[in-house]
Amino acid sequence: MASKKQELFSNLQEFAGPSGKLSLLKLGCGTGPDFKFYPPGCQVACIDPNPNFEKFLIKSIAENQHLQFERFVVAAGEDLHQVADDSMDVVVCTLVLCSVKNQERILQDVCRVRRPVSVGREEGETTFTAC
């Protein structure tokens, strides 16, 4: 499974914003088992409905010093009101959609908080949102 996750997360840096820093929102962060697969310098914000995960999350952040931990928010995935519009380059939600009450709502919020992506092409630059 580790090699599959490495492959899945291998291109995250390509989605970094104009500053070159990658801002990532992890929904349902749990204890942070995917942190080791995120690129160096990645700015990570975490949301989980379980406040008891914070102490384990802090331990995981200490073990993954290649990341910049931004904040931990106690909230359900369907309630991302504490995250600003267009503020995240990437939203990761592994093993989350199967356990939320309202999948449509969480996906709407993911689209709201994720920045549009710019892709360079021969004819110029195209901006799109994959939501």
Side-chain angles (χ1 to χ4, degrees), residues 24-30 35 44-55 57-58 61 69-84 87-88 109 112-113:
L24 183 146
L25 176 64
K26 176 63 170 118
L27 299 181
C29 60
F35 289 172
V44 180
C46 301
I47 292 185
D48 201 284
N50 187 341
N52 297 313
F53 277 136
E54 186 172 21
K55 61 185 168 199
L57 187 61
I58 290 168
I61 288 290
F69 180 65
E70 297 295 316
R71 63 183 169 148
F72 174 71
V73 177
V74 177
E78 301 95 334
D79 184 18
L80 301 181
H81 75 275
Q82 297 179 61
V83 182
S87 62
M88 295 291 157
D109 257 0
R112 179 186 61 77
V113 304

Side-chain angles (χ1 to χ4, degrees), residues 9-46:
F9 294 126
S10 66
N11 70 334
L12 285 178
Q13 191 60 44
E14 294 174 21
F15 296 96
S19 70
K21 294 267 187 179
L22 180 72
S23 60
L24 183 146
L25 176 64
K26 176 63 170 118
L27 299 181
C29 60
T31 60
D34 295 338
F35 289 172
K36 62 186 168 191
F37 302 109
Y38 300 163
C42 180
Q43 299 169 325
V44 180
C46 301

